[in-house]
mmCIF file with all atom_site columns, all heavy atoms in Angstrom:
data_model
loop_
_atom_site.group_PDB
_atom_site.id
_atom_site.type_symbol
_atom_site.label_atom_id
_atom_site.label_alt_id
_atom_site.label_comp_id
_atom_site.label_asym_id
_atom_site.label_entity_id
_atom_site.label_seq_id
_atom_site.pdbx_PDB_ins_code
_atom_site.Cartn_x
_atom_site.Cartn_y
_atom_site.Cartn_z
_atom_site.occupancy
_atom_site.B_iso_or_equiv
_atom_site.pdbx_formal_charge
_atom_site.auth_seq_id
_atom_site.auth_comp_id
_atom_site.auth_asym_id
_atom_site.auth_atom_id
_atom_site.pdbx_PDB_model_num
ATOM 1   N N   . ALA A 1 1  ? 3.515   0.935  8.493   1.00 96.00 ? 1440 ALA A N   1
ATOM 2   C CA  . ALA A 1 1  ? 2.187   1.518  8.323   1.00 96.00 ? 1440 ALA A CA  1
ATOM 3   C C   . ALA A 1 1  ? 1.324   0.540  7.540   1.00 96.00 ? 1440 ALA A C   1
ATOM 4   O O   . ALA A 1 1  ? 1.814   -0.176 6.662   1.00 96.00 ? 1440 ALA A O   1
ATOM 5   C CB  . ALA A 1 1  ? 2.268   2.848  7.585   1.00 96.00 ? 1440 ALA A CB  1
ATOM 6   N N   . VAL A 1 2  ? 0.040   0.511  7.879   1.00 98.00 ? 1441 VAL A N   1
ATOM 7   C CA  . VAL A 1 2  ? -0.937  -0.302 7.161   1.00 98.00 ? 1441 VAL A CA  1
ATOM 8   C C   . VAL A 1 2  ? -2.023  0.645  6.650   1.00 98.00 ? 1441 VAL A C   1
ATOM 9   O O   . VAL A 1 2  ? -2.497  1.517  7.373   1.00 98.00 ? 1441 VAL A O   1
ATOM 10  C CB  . VAL A 1 2  ? -1.559  -1.382 8.080   1.00 98.00 ? 1441 VAL A CB  1
ATOM 11  C CG1 . VAL A 1 2  ? -2.679  -2.121 7.370   1.00 98.00 ? 1441 VAL A CG1 1
ATOM 12  C CG2 . VAL A 1 2  ? -0.490  -2.346 8.565   1.00 98.00 ? 1441 VAL A CG2 1
ATOM 13  N N   . ALA A 1 3  ? -2.377  0.447  5.390   1.00 98.00 ? 1442 ALA A N   1
ATOM 14  C CA  . ALA A 1 3  ? -3.420  1.267  4.769   1.00 98.00 ? 1442 ALA A CA  1
ATOM 15  C C   . ALA A 1 3  ? -4.240  0.376  3.839   1.00 98.00 ? 1442 ALA A C   1
ATOM 16  O O   . ALA A 1 3  ? -3.900  -0.793 3.626   1.00 98.00 ? 1442 ALA A O   1
ATOM 17  C CB  . ALA A 1 3  ? -2.791  2.416  3.983   1.00 98.00 ? 1442 ALA A CB  1
ATOM 18  N N   . ILE A 1 4  ? -5.301  0.935  3.313   1.00 97.00 ? 1443 ILE A N   1
ATOM 19  C CA  . ILE A 1 4  ? -6.052  0.258  2.263   1.00 97.00 ? 1443 ILE A CA  1
ATOM 20  C C   . ILE A 1 4  ? -6.108  1.194  1.061   1.00 97.00 ? 1443 ILE A C   1
ATOM 21  O O   . ILE A 1 4  ? -6.077  2.418  1.211   1.00 97.00 ? 1443 ILE A O   1
ATOM 22  C CB  . ILE A 1 4  ? -7.478  -0.152 2.699   1.00 97.00 ? 1443 ILE A CB  1
ATOM 23  C CG1 . ILE A 1 4  ? -8.259  1.055  3.214   1.00 97.00 ? 1443 ILE A CG1 1
ATOM 24  C CG2 . ILE A 1 4  ? -7.423  -1.255 3.733   1.00 97.00 ? 1443 ILE A CG2 1
ATOM 25  C CD1 . ILE A 1 4  ? -9.721  0.762  3.500   1.00 97.00 ? 1443 ILE A CD1 1
ATOM 26  N N   . ALA A 1 5  ? -6.157  0.600  -0.125  1.00 97.00 ? 1444 ALA A N   1
ATOM 27  C CA  . ALA A 1 5  ? -6.237  1.395  -1.344  1.00 97.00 ? 1444 ALA A CA  1
ATOM 28  C C   . ALA A 1 5  ? -6.977  0.606  -2.413  1.00 97.00 ? 1444 ALA A C   1
ATOM 29  O O   . ALA A 1 5  ? -6.945  -0.622 -2.418  1.00 97.00 ? 1444 ALA A O   1
ATOM 30  C CB  . ALA A 1 5  ? -4.832  1.752  -1.836  1.00 97.00 ? 1444 ALA A CB  1
ATOM 31  N N   . ASP A 1 6  ? -7.635  1.342  -3.297  1.00 94.00 ? 1445 ASP A N   1
ATOM 32  C CA  . ASP A 1 6  ? -8.289  0.697  -4.435  1.00 94.00 ? 1445 ASP A CA  1
ATOM 33  C C   . ASP A 1 6  ? -8.022  1.469  -5.724  1.00 94.00 ? 1445 ASP A C   1
ATOM 34  O O   . ASP A 1 6  ? -8.724  1.315  -6.707  1.00 94.00 ? 1445 ASP A O   1
ATOM 35  C CB  . ASP A 1 6  ? -9.788  0.531  -4.212  1.00 94.00 ? 1445 ASP A CB  1
ATOM 36  C CG  . ASP A 1 6  ? -10.542 1.841  -4.197  1.00 94.00 ? 1445 ASP A CG  1
ATOM 37  O OD1 . ASP A 1 6  ? -9.903  2.919  -4.256  1.00 94.00 ? 1445 ASP A OD1 1
ATOM 38  O OD2 . ASP A 1 6  ? -11.780 1.800  -4.129  1.00 94.00 ? 1445 ASP A OD2 1
ATOM 39  N N   . ASP A 1 7  ? -6.992  2.297  -5.725  1.00 92.00 ? 1446 ASP A N   1
ATOM 40  C CA  . ASP A 1 7  ? -6.695  3.126  -6.898  1.00 92.00 ? 1446 ASP A CA  1
ATOM 41  C C   . ASP A 1 7  ? -5.723  2.435  -7.860  1.00 92.00 ? 1446 ASP A C   1
ATOM 42  O O   . ASP A 1 7  ? -4.731  2.996  -8.286  1.00 92.00 ? 1446 ASP A O   1
ATOM 43  C CB  . ASP A 1 7  ? -6.199  4.508  -6.475  1.00 92.00 ? 1446 ASP A CB  1
ATOM 44  C CG  . ASP A 1 7  ? -5.012  4.460  -5.536  1.00 92.00 ? 1446 ASP A CG  1
ATOM 45  O OD1 . ASP A 1 7  ? -4.660  3.374  -5.053  1.00 92.00 ? 1446 ASP A OD1 1
ATOM 46  O OD2 . ASP A 1 7  ? -4.430  5.531  -5.290  1.00 92.00 ? 1446 ASP A OD2 1
ATOM 47  N N   . TYR A 1 8  ? -6.059  1.210  -8.199  1.00 93.00 ? 1447 TYR A N   1
ATOM 48  C CA  . TYR A 1 8  ? -5.289  0.421  -9.153  1.00 93.00 ? 1447 TYR A CA  1
ATOM 49  C C   . TYR A 1 8  ? -6.088  0.330  -10.451 1.00 93.00 ? 1447 TYR A C   1
ATOM 50  O O   . TYR A 1 8  ? -7.277  0.636  -10.475 1.00 93.00 ? 1447 TYR A O   1
ATOM 51  C CB  . TYR A 1 8  ? -5.038  -0.992 -8.601  1.00 93.00 ? 1447 TYR A CB  1
ATOM 52  C CG  . TYR A 1 8  ? -4.425  -0.988 -7.226  1.00 93.00 ? 1447 TYR A CG  1
ATOM 53  C CD1 . TYR A 1 8  ? -5.214  -1.157 -6.092  1.00 93.00 ? 1447 TYR A CD1 1
ATOM 54  C CD2 . TYR A 1 8  ? -3.070  -0.784 -7.049  1.00 93.00 ? 1447 TYR A CD2 1
ATOM 55  C CE1 . TYR A 1 8  ? -4.657  -1.141 -4.826  1.00 93.00 ? 1447 TYR A CE1 1
ATOM 56  C CE2 . TYR A 1 8  ? -2.502  -0.759 -5.786  1.00 93.00 ? 1447 TYR A CE2 1
ATOM 57  C CZ  . TYR A 1 8  ? -3.300  -0.938 -4.676  1.00 93.00 ? 1447 TYR A CZ  1
ATOM 58  O OH  . TYR A 1 8  ? -2.750  -0.915 -3.424  1.00 93.00 ? 1447 TYR A OH  1
ATOM 59  N N   . GLU A 1 9  ? -5.450  -0.119 -11.513 1.00 93.00 ? 1448 GLU A N   1
ATOM 60  C CA  . GLU A 1 9  ? -6.145  -0.240 -12.792 1.00 93.00 ? 1448 GLU A CA  1
ATOM 61  C C   . GLU A 1 9  ? -7.367  -1.146 -12.701 1.00 93.00 ? 1448 GLU A C   1
ATOM 62  O O   . GLU A 1 9  ? -8.366  -0.918 -13.377 1.00 93.00 ? 1448 GLU A O   1
ATOM 63  C CB  . GLU A 1 9  ? -5.190  -0.745 -13.871 1.00 93.00 ? 1448 GLU A CB  1
ATOM 64  C CG  . GLU A 1 9  ? -4.205  0.306  -14.318 1.00 93.00 ? 1448 GLU A CG  1
ATOM 65  C CD  . GLU A 1 9  ? -3.353  -0.151 -15.476 1.00 93.00 ? 1448 GLU A CD  1
ATOM 66  O OE1 . GLU A 1 9  ? -3.673  -1.159 -16.136 1.00 93.00 ? 1448 GLU A OE1 1
ATOM 67  O OE2 . GLU A 1 9  ? -2.339  0.522  -15.719 1.00 93.00 ? 1448 GLU A OE2 1
ATOM 68  N N   . ASP A 1 10 ? -7.289  -2.197 -11.853 1.00 93.00 ? 1449 ASP A N   1
ATOM 69  C CA  . ASP A 1 10 ? -8.434  -3.102 -11.725 1.00 93.00 ? 1449 ASP A CA  1
ATOM 70  C C   . ASP A 1 10 ? -9.413  -2.681 -10.628 1.00 93.00 ? 1449 ASP A C   1
ATOM 71  O O   . ASP A 1 10 ? -10.423 -3.332 -10.405 1.00 93.00 ? 1449 ASP A O   1
ATOM 72  C CB  . ASP A 1 10 ? -7.972  -4.542 -11.485 1.00 93.00 ? 1449 ASP A CB  1
ATOM 73  C CG  . ASP A 1 10 ? -7.211  -4.727 -10.183 1.00 93.00 ? 1449 ASP A CG  1
ATOM 74  O OD1 . ASP A 1 10 ? -7.085  -3.754 -9.394  1.00 93.00 ? 1449 ASP A OD1 1
ATOM 75  O OD2 . ASP A 1 10 ? -6.735  -5.850 -9.944  1.00 93.00 ? 1449 ASP A OD2 1
ATOM 76  N N   . ALA A 1 11 ? -9.126  -1.604 -9.910  1.00 90.00 ? 1450 ALA A N   1
ATOM 77  C CA  . ALA A 1 11 ? -9.974  -1.050 -8.847  1.00 90.00 ? 1450 ALA A CA  1
ATOM 78  C C   . ALA A 1 11 ? -10.256 -2.048 -7.721  1.00 90.00 ? 1450 ALA A C   1
ATOM 79  O O   . ALA A 1 11 ? -11.178 -1.868 -6.945  1.00 90.00 ? 1450 ALA A O   1
ATOM 80  C CB  . ALA A 1 11 ? -11.288 -0.526 -9.411  1.00 90.00 ? 1450 ALA A CB  1
ATOM 81  N N   . THR A 1 12 ? -9.430  -3.075 -7.605  1.00 93.00 ? 1451 THR A N   1
ATOM 82  C CA  . THR A 1 12 ? -9.585  -4.058 -6.530  1.00 93.00 ? 1451 THR A CA  1
ATOM 83  C C   . THR A 1 12 ? -8.960  -3.515 -5.253  1.00 93.00 ? 1451 THR A C   1
ATOM 84  O O   . THR A 1 12 ? -7.799  -3.098 -5.268  1.00 93.00 ? 1451 THR A O   1
ATOM 85  C CB  . THR A 1 12 ? -8.910  -5.389 -6.918  1.00 93.00 ? 1451 THR A CB  1
ATOM 86  O OG1 . THR A 1 12 ? -9.507  -5.873 -8.114  1.00 93.00 ? 1451 THR A OG1 1
ATOM 87  C CG2 . THR A 1 12 ? -9.034  -6.417 -5.826  1.00 93.00 ? 1451 THR A CG2 1
ATOM 88  N N   . PRO A 1 13 ? -9.687  -3.496 -4.136  1.00 96.00 ? 1452 PRO A N   1
ATOM 89  C CA  . PRO A 1 13 ? -9.089  -3.013 -2.889  1.00 96.00 ? 1452 PRO A CA  1
ATOM 90  C C   . PRO A 1 13 ? -7.999  -3.951 -2.393  1.00 96.00 ? 1452 PRO A C   1
ATOM 91  O O   . PRO A 1 13 ? -8.112  -5.176 -2.501  1.00 96.00 ? 1452 PRO A O   1
ATOM 92  C CB  . PRO A 1 13 ? -10.258 -2.961 -1.906  1.00 96.00 ? 1452 PRO A CB  1
ATOM 93  C CG  . PRO A 1 13 ? -11.366 -3.721 -2.525  1.00 96.00 ? 1452 PRO A CG  1
ATOM 94  C CD  . PRO A 1 13 ? -11.077 -3.893 -3.973  1.00 96.00 ? 1452 PRO A CD  1
ATOM 95  N N   . ARG A 1 14 ? -6.959  -3.360 -1.864  1.00 97.00 ? 1453 ARG A N   1
ATOM 96  C CA  . ARG A 1 14 ? -5.821  -4.117 -1.330  1.00 97.00 ? 1453 ARG A CA  1
ATOM 97  C C   . ARG A 1 14 ? -5.377  -3.513 -0.007  1.00 97.00 ? 1453 ARG A C   1
ATOM 98  O O   . ARG A 1 14 ? -5.590  -2.339 0.261   1.00 97.00 ? 1453 ARG A O   1
ATOM 99  C CB  . ARG A 1 14 ? -4.663  -4.091 -2.317  1.00 97.00 ? 1453 ARG A CB  1
ATOM 100 C CG  . ARG A 1 14 ? -4.928  -4.898 -3.584  1.00 97.00 ? 1453 ARG A CG  1
ATOM 101 C CD  . ARG A 1 14 ? -3.805  -4.738 -4.591  1.00 97.00 ? 1453 ARG A CD  1
ATOM 102 N NE  . ARG A 1 14 ? -3.959  -5.633 -5.720  1.00 97.00 ? 1453 ARG A NE  1
ATOM 103 C CZ  . ARG A 1 14 ? -4.729  -5.391 -6.784  1.00 97.00 ? 1453 ARG A CZ  1
ATOM 104 N NH1 . ARG A 1 14 ? -5.438  -4.282 -6.846  1.00 97.00 ? 1453 ARG A NH1 1
ATOM 105 N NH2 . ARG A 1 14 ? -4.796  -6.260 -7.777  1.00 97.00 ? 1453 ARG A NH2 1
ATOM 106 N N   . VAL A 1 15 ? -4.733  -4.346 0.781   1.00 98.00 ? 1454 VAL A N   1
ATOM 107 C CA  . VAL A 1 15 ? -4.094  -3.900 2.013   1.00 98.00 ? 1454 VAL A CA  1
ATOM 108 C C   . VAL A 1 15 ? -2.670  -3.499 1.643   1.00 98.00 ? 1454 VAL A C   1
ATOM 109 O O   . VAL A 1 15 ? -1.953  -4.264 0.978   1.00 98.00 ? 1454 VAL A O   1
ATOM 110 C CB  . VAL A 1 15 ? -4.091  -5.017 3.077   1.00 98.00 ? 1454 VAL A CB  1
ATOM 111 C CG1 . VAL A 1 15 ? -3.306  -4.593 4.305   1.00 98.00 ? 1454 VAL A CG1 1
ATOM 112 C CG2 . VAL A 1 15 ? -5.520  -5.394 3.447   1.00 98.00 ? 1454 VAL A CG2 1
ATOM 113 N N   . VAL A 1 16 ? -2.257  -2.325 2.068   1.00 98.00 ? 1455 VAL A N   1
ATOM 114 C CA  . VAL A 1 16 ? -0.933  -1.815 1.732   1.00 98.00 ? 1455 VAL A CA  1
ATOM 115 C C   . VAL A 1 16 ? -0.094  -1.786 3.010   1.00 98.00 ? 1455 VAL A C   1
ATOM 116 O O   . VAL A 1 16 ? -0.447  -1.108 3.976   1.00 98.00 ? 1455 VAL A O   1
ATOM 117 C CB  . VAL A 1 16 ? -1.024  -0.401 1.117   1.00 98.00 ? 1455 VAL A CB  1
ATOM 118 C CG1 . VAL A 1 16 ? 0.359   0.124  0.761   1.00 98.00 ? 1455 VAL A CG1 1
ATOM 119 C CG2 . VAL A 1 16 ? -1.936  -0.410 -0.098  1.00 98.00 ? 1455 VAL A CG2 1
ATOM 120 N N   . LEU A 1 17 ? 0.989   -2.532 3.018   1.00 98.00 ? 1456 LEU A N   1
ATOM 121 C CA  . LEU A 1 17 ? 1.915   -2.576 4.149   1.00 98.00 ? 1456 LEU A CA  1
ATOM 122 C C   . LEU A 1 17 ? 3.205   -1.894 3.735   1.00 98.00 ? 1456 LEU A C   1
ATOM 123 O O   . LEU A 1 17 ? 3.815   -2.258 2.727   1.00 98.00 ? 1456 LEU A O   1
ATOM 124 C CB  . LEU A 1 17 ? 2.195   -4.029 4.548   1.00 98.00 ? 1456 LEU A CB  1
ATOM 125 C CG  . LEU A 1 17 ? 3.301   -4.255 5.580   1.00 98.00 ? 1456 LEU A CG  1
ATOM 126 C CD1 . LEU A 1 17 ? 2.941   -3.609 6.914   1.00 98.00 ? 1456 LEU A CD1 1
ATOM 127 C CD2 . LEU A 1 17 ? 3.560   -5.745 5.746   1.00 98.00 ? 1456 LEU A CD2 1
ATOM 128 N N   . THR A 1 18 ? 3.603   -0.889 4.502   1.00 97.00 ? 1457 THR A N   1
ATOM 129 C CA  . THR A 1 18 ? 4.846   -0.153 4.235   1.00 97.00 ? 1457 THR A CA  1
ATOM 130 C C   . THR A 1 18 ? 5.781   -0.334 5.418   1.00 97.00 ? 1457 THR A C   1
ATOM 131 O O   . THR A 1 18 ? 5.365   -0.158 6.574   1.00 97.00 ? 1457 THR A O   1
ATOM 132 C CB  . THR A 1 18 ? 4.559   1.349  4.024   1.00 97.00 ? 1457 THR A CB  1
ATOM 133 O OG1 . THR A 1 18 ? 3.615   1.499  2.966   1.00 97.00 ? 1457 THR A OG1 1
ATOM 134 C CG2 . THR A 1 18 ? 5.833   2.105  3.702   1.00 97.00 ? 1457 THR A CG2 1
ATOM 135 N N   . VAL A 1 19 ? 7.028   -0.677 5.137   1.00 96.00 ? 1458 VAL A N   1
ATOM 136 C CA  . VAL A 1 19 ? 8.061   -0.823 6.166   1.00 96.00 ? 1458 VAL A CA  1
ATOM 137 C C   . VAL A 1 19 ? 9.247   0.032  5.734   1.00 96.00 ? 1458 VAL A C   1
ATOM 138 O O   . VAL A 1 19 ? 9.753   -0.120 4.622   1.00 96.00 ? 1458 VAL A O   1
ATOM 139 C CB  . VAL A 1 19 ? 8.499   -2.302 6.321   1.00 96.00 ? 1458 VAL A CB  1
ATOM 140 C CG1 . VAL A 1 19 ? 9.569   -2.428 7.386   1.00 96.00 ? 1458 VAL A CG1 1
ATOM 141 C CG2 . VAL A 1 19 ? 7.308   -3.183 6.648   1.00 96.00 ? 1458 VAL A CG2 1
ATOM 142 N N   . GLU A 1 20 ? 9.647   0.965  6.601   1.00 96.00 ? 1459 GLU A N   1
ATOM 143 C CA  . GLU A 1 20 ? 10.749  1.870  6.271   1.00 96.00 ? 1459 GLU A CA  1
ATOM 144 C C   . GLU A 1 20 ? 11.762  1.927  7.401   1.00 96.00 ? 1459 GLU A C   1
ATOM 145 O O   . GLU A 1 20 ? 11.396  1.981  8.574   1.00 96.00 ? 1459 GLU A O   1
ATOM 146 C CB  . GLU A 1 20 ? 10.236  3.290  6.035   1.00 96.00 ? 1459 GLU A CB  1
ATOM 147 C CG  . GLU A 1 20 ? 9.398   3.438  4.799   1.00 96.00 ? 1459 GLU A CG  1
ATOM 148 C CD  . GLU A 1 20 ? 8.981   4.872  4.565   1.00 96.00 ? 1459 GLU A CD  1
ATOM 149 O OE1 . GLU A 1 20 ? 8.775   5.619  5.542   1.00 96.00 ? 1459 GLU A OE1 1
ATOM 150 O OE2 . GLU A 1 20 ? 8.855   5.247  3.402   1.00 96.00 ? 1459 GLU A OE2 1
ATOM 151 N N   . GLU A 1 21 ? 13.019  1.941  7.019   1.00 92.00 ? 1460 GLU A N   1
ATOM 152 C CA  . GLU A 1 21 ? 14.088  2.120  7.988   1.00 92.00 ? 1460 GLU A CA  1
ATOM 153 C C   . GLU A 1 21 ? 14.109  3.579  8.425   1.00 92.00 ? 1460 GLU A C   1
ATOM 154 O O   . GLU A 1 21 ? 13.909  4.491  7.615   1.00 92.00 ? 1460 GLU A O   1
ATOM 155 C CB  . GLU A 1 21 ? 15.430  1.736  7.369   1.00 92.00 ? 1460 GLU A CB  1
ATOM 156 C CG  . GLU A 1 21 ? 16.567  1.736  8.365   1.00 92.00 ? 1460 GLU A CG  1
ATOM 157 C CD  . GLU A 1 21 ? 17.869  1.215  7.775   1.00 92.00 ? 1460 GLU A CD  1
ATOM 158 O OE1 . GLU A 1 21 ? 17.897  0.886  6.578   1.00 92.00 ? 1460 GLU A OE1 1
ATOM 159 O OE2 . GLU A 1 21 ? 18.834  1.141  8.532   1.00 92.00 ? 1460 GLU A OE2 1
ATOM 160 N N   . VAL A 1 22 ? 14.341  3.803  9.709   1.00 89.00 ? 1461 VAL A N   1
ATOM 161 C CA  . VAL A 1 22 ? 14.400  5.159  10.246  1.00 89.00 ? 1461 VAL A CA  1
ATOM 162 C C   . VAL A 1 22 ? 15.472  5.941  9.485   1.00 89.00 ? 1461 VAL A C   1
ATOM 163 O O   . VAL A 1 22 ? 16.573  5.436  9.246   1.00 89.00 ? 1461 VAL A O   1
ATOM 164 C CB  . VAL A 1 22 ? 14.700  5.129  11.761  1.00 89.00 ? 1461 VAL A CB  1
ATOM 165 C CG1 . VAL A 1 22 ? 14.970  6.521  12.290  1.00 89.00 ? 1461 VAL A CG1 1
ATOM 166 C CG2 . VAL A 1 22 ? 13.539  4.498  12.506  1.00 89.00 ? 1461 VAL A CG2 1
ATOM 167 N N   . GLY A 1 23 ? 15.132  7.142  9.072   1.00 87.00 ? 1462 GLY A N   1
ATOM 168 C CA  . GLY A 1 23 ? 16.055  7.986  8.332   1.00 87.00 ? 1462 GLY A CA  1
ATOM 169 C C   . GLY A 1 23 ? 16.066  7.719  6.833   1.00 87.00 ? 1462 GLY A C   1
ATOM 170 O O   . GLY A 1 23 ? 16.800  8.370  6.094   1.00 87.00 ? 1462 GLY A O   1
ATOM 171 N N   . GLN A 1 24 ? 15.256  6.789  6.380   1.00 88.00 ? 1463 GLN A N   1
ATOM 172 C CA  . GLN A 1 24 ? 15.208  6.441  4.957   1.00 88.00 ? 1463 GLN A CA  1
ATOM 173 C C   . GLN A 1 24 ? 13.788  6.578  4.408   1.00 88.00 ? 1463 GLN A C   1
ATOM 174 O O   . GLN A 1 24 ? 13.355  5.749  3.602   1.00 88.00 ? 1463 GLN A O   1
ATOM 175 C CB  . GLN A 1 24 ? 15.718  5.006  4.758   1.00 88.00 ? 1463 GLN A CB  1
ATOM 176 C CG  . GLN A 1 24 ? 17.150  4.780  5.171   1.00 88.00 ? 1463 GLN A CG  1
ATOM 177 C CD  . GLN A 1 24 ? 18.108  5.569  4.286   1.00 88.00 ? 1463 GLN A CD  1
ATOM 178 O OE1 . GLN A 1 24 ? 17.968  5.613  3.078   1.00 88.00 ? 1463 GLN A OE1 1
ATOM 179 N NE2 . GLN A 1 24 ? 19.071  6.210  4.909   1.00 88.00 ? 1463 GLN A NE2 1
#
């Protein structure tokens, strides 16, 4: 999954890449 977020302490927007094994 790819998302964007800016809810960090520095409020800098970032691209968030998540990779998960099926069943995990």
Side-chain angles (χ1 to χ4, degrees):
V1441 174
I1443 55 173
D1445 68 355
D1446 55 350
Y1447 307 98
E1448 286 186 15
D1449 63 4
T1451 301
R1453 290 175 172 83
V1454 174
V1455 180
L1456 171 63
T1457 304
V1458 180
E1459 292 183 327
E1460 187 174 2
V1461 171
Q1463 298 294 316

